Amino acid sequence: MTPTENHFPSGFPLSRGRRNRYQQSRRTMLAEHRLSASDFIAPMFITEGAEVKEPISSMPDYHRLSLDLAVHQAASWHELGITAILLFVMVPDAKKDNEGTEALNENGLMQMAVKRIKEAVPGLTVMTDVALDPYSSYGHDGVVRDGRIVNDETVDVLARMSVSHARAGADYVAPSDMMDGRIGEIRLALEANGFPDTGILAYSAKYASGFYGPFRDALESAPGFGDKKTYQMDPANVREAVREARMDEGEGADMVMVKPGLPYLDVVRAVRESVRVPVAVYNVSGEYAMIKAAAEKGWLDEEAAMLESLLACKRAGADVIATYWAEKAVRLLRESQK
Ligand code: PBG
């Protein structure tokens, strides 16, 4: 055998990478990244009514919950060690319009959900989705005029919507709309209305992605015309994501988010290296559905694929991960610690 840099002339390797892998205890000690319950933000879909637990066909094992059950779910997640939830509401068609009227209803489903959950589980961090799509008769994230999604008028509604969520007790508002300048306007509105401690989780780099389909099933919020490409980002771009994240940091975002997750881990890394606020990543509905579907067919191991996906998000530099796997991941992590 010819000696190489890693070989004694006798042929033994100088360094053996496998030595650090021989036992679980060595592997555990030397892991560069770890998952824990406090890494996750668990999304929750809330619907009107009582005792409602509706399956979502493209998201097996995930449900839309009425408020009573949502409160229980929040309490049990908190008990389990989950530190944050992100609320989405399903709005009946009759309450949808082009102005986001229902989004501003102080007694609307979102506002009531925040109040009830914060009352029952004050220690849980409650985050709210801020965008018009669940409330929009067009299924778009903003106000539509002459077939266009208008920016500044939308931002005005989003700022008022954020204040209404803050008034209900939200810990963070999470604008997912991708309008320009909304973080600054929301920050100003929160300050002006006496909510200096309400945080903003900005969806800074949200791509026009094919991975949101199951979520739109969950809320029946698919766009009625066109697509979202005039506001959500082009999957081809990464510098643009850095620019968006820096703008949002400058406008007062407390966290910036990249979305989706797995197909955009290079973006997570680039953003992590460019801002100083915590970086979140959204492991979205389509990523969840892919693993579920393949596992149902027996094509891959659901638990292994899920934990690996979540760990990959951390390895890429995410501080927190919004994921439909939160509960399952925390249960598995607990078991593995026993
Ligand atoms: C809409 C919104 C979407 C998601 C979160 N907020 C969908 C969209 O932009 O159409 C997707 C989340 C997921 O797929 O898990 N404001």
Short mmCIF file of all heavy atoms in Angstrom, two decimals, residues 158-181:
data_model
loop_
_atom_site.label_atom_id
_atom_site.label_comp_id
_atom_site.label_asym_id
_atom_site.label_seq_id
_atom_site.Cartn_x
_atom_site.Cartn_y
_atom_site.Cartn_z
N LEU A 158 -52.92 45.48 7.68
CA LEU A 158 -52.09 44.55 8.46
C LEU A 158 -51.64 45.17 9.78
O LEU A 158 -51.57 44.49 10.81
CB LEU A 158 -50.85 44.13 7.65
CG LEU A 158 -51.12 43.37 6.36
CD1 LEU A 158 -49.80 43.11 5.62
CD2 LEU A 158 -51.85 42.06 6.62
N ALA A 159 -51.36 46.48 9.75
CA ALA A 159 -50.93 47.16 10.97
C ALA A 159 -52.09 47.19 11.98
O ALA A 159 -51.90 46.91 13.17
CB ALA A 159 -50.45 48.57 10.65
N ARG A 160 -53.29 47.46 11.47
CA ARG A 160 -54.44 47.48 12.39
C ARG A 160 -54.77 46.08 12.90
O ARG A 160 -55.13 45.89 14.07
CB ARG A 160 -55.66 48.11 11.69
CG ARG A 160 -55.45 49.63 11.52
CD ARG A 160 -56.72 50.32 11.10
NE ARG A 160 -57.00 50.09 9.68
CZ ARG A 160 -58.21 49.97 9.17
NH1 ARG A 160 -59.28 50.03 9.93
NH2 ARG A 160 -58.36 49.78 7.87
N MET A 161 -54.61 45.10 12.00
CA MET A 161 -54.84 43.71 12.40
C MET A 161 -53.85 43.31 13.50
O MET A 161 -54.21 42.67 14.49
CB MET A 161 -54.62 42.86 11.14
CG MET A 161 -54.97 41.42 11.22
SD MET A 161 -54.71 40.73 9.52
CE MET A 161 -54.96 38.99 9.89
N SER A 162 -52.60 43.72 13.35
CA SER A 162 -51.57 43.39 14.35
C SER A 162 -51.90 43.99 15.70
O SER A 162 -51.74 43.35 16.74
CB SER A 162 -50.20 43.89 13.88
OG SER A 162 -49.86 43.28 12.66
N VAL A 163 -52.36 45.24 15.68
CA VAL A 163 -52.73 45.89 16.94
C VAL A 163 -53.88 45.14 17.60
O VAL A 163 -53.90 44.91 18.82
CB VAL A 163 -53.10 47.38 16.70
CG1 VAL A 163 -53.73 48.00 17.95
CG2 VAL A 163 -51.86 48.17 16.27
N SER A 164 -54.83 44.69 16.79
CA SER A 164 -55.95 43.96 17.36
C SER A 164 -55.51 42.62 17.95
O SER A 164 -56.01 42.20 19.00
CB SER A 164 -57.06 43.86 16.31
OG SER A 164 -57.58 42.58 16.20
N HIS A 165 -54.54 41.97 17.34
CA HIS A 165 -54.00 40.73 17.92
C HIS A 165 -53.24 41.03 19.22
O HIS A 165 -53.33 40.27 20.19
CB HIS A 165 -53.07 40.02 16.94
CG HIS A 165 -53.75 39.50 15.71
ND1 HIS A 165 -53.09 38.84 14.70
CD2 HIS A 165 -55.06 39.53 15.33
CE1 HIS A 165 -53.95 38.49 13.75
NE2 HIS A 165 -55.14 38.91 14.10
N ALA A 166 -52.50 42.12 19.21
CA ALA A 166 -51.75 42.50 20.41
C ALA A 166 -52.72 42.81 21.55
O ALA A 166 -52.51 42.39 22.69
CB ALA A 166 -50.87 43.72 20.12
N ARG A 167 -53.80 43.49 21.21
CA ARG A 167 -54.80 43.83 22.24
C ARG A 167 -55.40 42.55 22.83
O ARG A 167 -55.69 42.48 24.02
CB ARG A 167 -55.88 44.70 21.59
CG ARG A 167 -56.84 45.32 22.57
CD ARG A 167 -57.70 46.40 21.90
NE ARG A 167 -56.94 47.60 21.61
CZ ARG A 167 -56.90 48.21 20.42
NH1 ARG A 167 -57.60 47.73 19.39
NH2 ARG A 167 -56.18 49.30 20.26
N ALA A 168 -55.55 41.54 22.00
CA ALA A 168 -56.10 40.27 22.49
C ALA A 168 -55.07 39.52 23.35
O ALA A 168 -55.43 38.60 24.09
CB ALA A 168 -56.53 39.40 21.31
N GLY A 169 -53.81 39.92 23.25
CA GLY A 169 -52.80 39.30 24.11
C GLY A 169 -51.71 38.53 23.38
O GLY A 169 -50.92 37.82 24.02
N ALA A 170 -51.64 38.66 22.06
CA ALA A 170 -50.62 37.92 21.31
C ALA A 170 -49.21 38.33 21.78
O ALA A 170 -48.95 39.50 22.04
CB ALA A 170 -50.75 38.21 19.82
N ASP A 171 -48.32 37.37 21.88
CA ASP A 171 -46.94 37.66 22.25
C ASP A 171 -46.13 38.14 21.04
O ASP A 171 -45.28 39.01 21.16
CB ASP A 171 -46.29 36.41 22.84
CG ASP A 171 -46.95 36.00 24.13
OD1 ASP A 171 -46.82 36.74 25.11
OD2 ASP A 171 -47.63 34.96 24.15
N TYR A 172 -46.39 37.51 19.90
CA TYR A 172 -45.75 37.92 18.64
C TYR A 172 -46.81 37.94 17.55
O TYR A 172 -47.66 37.04 17.50
CB TYR A 172 -44.68 36.90 18.18
CG TYR A 172 -43.42 36.90 18.99
CD1 TYR A 172 -43.37 36.21 20.19
CD2 TYR A 172 -42.28 37.58 18.55
CE1 TYR A 172 -42.20 36.20 20.95
CE2 TYR A 172 -41.11 37.55 19.30
CZ TYR A 172 -41.08 36.88 20.50
OH TYR A 172 -39.92 36.86 21.24
N VAL A 173 -46.73 38.90 16.67
CA VAL A 173 -47.52 38.84 15.44
C VAL A 173 -46.57 38.37 14.34
O VAL A 173 -45.38 38.70 14.35
CB VAL A 173 -48.17 40.19 15.08
CG1 VAL A 173 -49.23 40.57 16.11
CG2 VAL A 173 -47.13 41.31 14.96
N ALA A 174 -47.10 37.57 13.43
CA ALA A 174 -46.24 36.97 12.40
C ALA A 174 -46.78 37.29 11.01
O ALA A 174 -47.59 36.56 10.45
CB ALA A 174 -46.16 35.46 12.61
N PRO A 175 -46.36 38.45 10.45
CA PRO A 175 -46.84 38.83 9.12
C PRO A 175 -46.27 37.90 8.04
O PRO A 175 -45.05 37.80 7.87
CB PRO A 175 -46.34 40.26 8.93
CG PRO A 175 -45.52 40.61 10.11
CD PRO A 175 -45.50 39.47 11.06
N SER A 176 -47.18 37.22 7.33
CA SER A 176 -46.76 36.22 6.33
C SER A 176 -47.12 36.67 4.92
O SER A 176 -47.18 35.87 4.00
CB SER A 176 -47.45 34.88 6.63
OG SER A 176 -48.85 34.99 6.48
N ASP A 177 -47.34 37.97 4.74
CA ASP A 177 -47.93 38.50 3.51
C ASP A 177 -46.93 38.92 2.44
O ASP A 177 -47.27 39.01 1.27
CB ASP A 177 -48.74 39.74 3.89
CG ASP A 177 -47.81 40.70 4.64
OD1 ASP A 177 -47.43 40.39 5.81
OD2 ASP A 177 -47.39 41.70 4.05
N MET A 178 -45.70 39.28 2.86
CA MET A 178 -44.65 39.75 1.94
C MET A 178 -44.93 41.09 1.26
O MET A 178 -44.38 41.38 0.19
CB MET A 178 -44.30 38.68 0.88
CG MET A 178 -43.56 37.48 1.44
SD MET A 178 -41.96 37.87 2.21
CE MET A 178 -40.90 38.07 0.78
N MET A 179 -45.76 41.95 1.89
CA MET A 179 -45.89 43.31 1.37
C MET A 179 -44.64 44.10 1.78
O MET A 179 -44.00 43.79 2.78
CB MET A 179 -47.13 44.01 1.96
CG MET A 179 -48.45 43.35 1.60
SD MET A 179 -48.78 43.32 -0.18
CE MET A 179 -48.98 41.55 -0.42
N ASP A 180 -44.33 45.14 1.01
CA ASP A 180 -43.16 45.97 1.34
C ASP A 180 -43.47 46.93 2.50
O ASP A 180 -44.55 47.52 2.54
CB ASP A 180 -42.76 46.82 0.13
CG ASP A 180 -42.16 45.96 -0.97
OD1 ASP A 180 -41.52 44.94 -0.64
OD2 ASP A 180 -42.35 46.31 -2.15
N GLY A 181 -42.52 47.05 3.38
CA GLY A 181 -42.61 48.07 4.42
C GLY A 181 -43.53 47.74 5.58
O GLY A 181 -43.76 48.57 6.46
#
